[in-house]
Amino acid sequence: MKARLPKGMGGGPQNMQSMLKQAQKMQEEMEKTQAELEEKEYETQAGGGAVKVKINGKKEIISLEISPDIVDPDDIETLSDVIVAAVNDAIKKVETSNAEAMNKITGNLSVPGLF
């Protein structure tokens, strides 16, 4: 019994060449986009603006500003919590932005090890 493939499936060497070219183009677009994303900078804040974090697309902290108003030597725990919240929010922004940019290229195709 012969299996019938839907139109556009199979097609031999020419179709394979076309698929390889598309995959190569997608890879080049992804590499270019990744480089652009790594250069982007994001800012976020927590504690009503008492802590501000600037981070790049590589998830490296560029700057951390702490308002003197939130610094209380008797309550370091609150300061720590606000810093953690600001840094976590900054990382989430980078990850969301990177995922959205890559999904535009891949069309939501799952690519293992991408992010």
Side-chain angles (χ1 to χ4, degrees):
M1 173 186 262
K2 287 187 176 182
R4 294 181 185 233
L5 295 174
K7 188 173 183 173
M9 298 297 287
Q14 291 176 336
N15 194 30
M16 182 61 81
Q17 285 288 69
S18 175
M19 286 175 37
L20 288 173
K21 285 181 183 179
Q22 287 178 322
Q24 185 177 14
K25 182 179 180 196
M26 184 186 296
Q27 182 180 1
E28 289 169 1
E29 286 182 48
M30 290 170 58
E31 288 172 359
K32 179 183 175 205
T33 300
Q34 182 65 40
E36 291 170 359
L37 290 170
E38 288 178 356
E39 296 299 317
K40 283 181 79 172
E41 293 183 359
Y42 305 83
E43 289 188 46
T44 189
Q45 57 185 1
V51 174
K52 296 178 184 176
V53 174
K54 186 183 283 189
I55 189 171
N56 66 21
K58 297 178 195 175
K59 301 178 194 170
E60 299 170 336
I61 304 295
I62 297 168
S63 68
L64 174 67
E65 294 179 29
I66 301 171
S67 170
D69 298 338
I70 198 168
V71 179
D72 178 357
D74 296 327
D75 188 13
I76 297 299
E77 186 175 339
T78 297
L79 176 59
S80 295
D81 290 345
V82 174
I83 291 171
V84 168
V87 170
N88 285 338
D89 187 48
I91 291 169
K92 186 175 181 178
K93 280 186 178 185
V94 172
E95 290 175 346
T96 300
S97 176
N98 289 356
E100 288 172 358
M102 288 300 166
N103 283 340
K104 287 180 185 176
I105 295 170
T106 64
N108 291 323
L109 176 69
S110 179
V111 180
L114 187 55
F115 285 103

